[in-house]
Amino acid sequence: DEAENPKSLLNRRKAAMRDEEKPLLERDEPLVEDLEAKIAAGQQKWKNDAEENERLRQQLQNTGTVNELLKATSTYNSGEAKSVPTSPAPLRYSPTDFYGEVLNAQEKKPPSLGIATTGSGERLLAAGEVLSYIIQHPLYTRGLVDIGDVSERLKQVAWWNGKGLEYEERDIVLALERSVEILLARCG
């Protein structure tokens, strides 16, 4: 009767195949779990590497910007009117913006150096001193300042003293703090 019943034969064959596959599946289970753990670890490492890469990219961009600003400062201070090469890094900020565009609104004169005060005692920094002030500021040394953003903010508050541009110290600090706020908001 069983020989004539193909369904019974088929069911027994399926059961035998399941019994044969069971040890194989049990053997493969730890391998699969190990591979899943390795994949999860690899994904975490990739995420950490991507974050580190972005941090280093930002640091490189800031360093390139500072380098270009220093070149621009030394070019104006030496009395030479050379164009400053731009960095190959994808900068939002051109180093000529700070001295070129800011000074273009005025008569094209090199920035004066020195620190003065207003009548109320507020420190005024000459254009040539602003970069030094910024790069020595704790927010900048911690890598939290977007120089391009600070430059844009300072363009709006520059004072012409008859010899060059000057900036109130509180305006510089405010520009630095606003830049940090925007950067932190972008980072979430």
Side-chain angles (χ1 to χ4, degrees), residues 5-175:
N5 188 351
K7 282 188 175 182
S8 174
L9 275 170
L10 184 60
N11 287 338
R12 279 192 310 185
R13 181 67 186 137
K14 284 181 180 179
M17 287 176 67
R18 277 194 301 270
D19 290 342
E20 290 174 11
E21 290 176 353
K22 193 172 187 178
L24 296 174
L25 291 174
E26 289 173 354
R27 184 194 71 191
D28 289 346
E29 197 171 300
L31 294 174
V32 169
E33 289 173 358
D34 184 48
L35 288 174
E36 288 173 344
K38 286 180 181 178
I39 289 171
Q43 288 173 335
Q44 183 62 42
K45 182 177 179 345
W46 180 84
K47 181 182 175 190
N48 292 344
D49 289 348
E51 289 170 356
E52 176 71 4
N53 187 26
E54 184 56 34
R55 186 188 68 74
L56 291 171
R57 186 184 323 268
Q58 184 66 35
Q59 188 176 6
L60 179 63
Q61 179 179 346
N62 287 344
T63 302
T65 302
V66 169
N67 187 32
E68 296 297 336
L69 284 170
L70 289 171
K71 286 179 184 177
T73 303
S74 66
T75 299
Y76 276 99
N77 287 339
S78 69
E80 300 173 23
K82 296 186 240 176
S83 65
V84 179
T86 58
S87 171
L91 303 176
R92 289 184 19 210
Y93 170 74
S94 170
T96 57
D97 287 353
F98 190 76
Y99 287 107
E101 290 180 19
V102 173
L103 290 176
N104 278 340
Q106 313 297 328
E107 295 176 30
K108 190 111 179 173
K109 297 180 181 178
S112 60
L113 299 174
I115 299 174
T117 57
T118 64
S120 63
E122 178 72 32
R123 284 178 41 160
L124 290 172
L125 282 81
E129 296 298 314
V130 173
L131 178 61
S132 296
Y133 184 89
I134 291 171
I135 62 175
Q136 292 173 8
H137 196 278
L139 293 173
Y140 180 83
T141 58
R142 290 179 22 211
L144 299 173
V145 174
D146 178 350
I147 293 288
D149 181 61
V150 171
S151 176
E152 289 299 317
R153 292 175 187 283
L154 290 178
K155 285 180 189 178
Q156 300 170 18
V157 295
W159 292 82
W160 180 255
N161 68 4
K163 296 184 225 170
L165 295 175
E166 291 182 326
Y167 303 86
E168 290 186 14
E169 183 177 19
R170 67 183 161 130
D171 289 334
I172 298 168
V173 172
L174 184 62

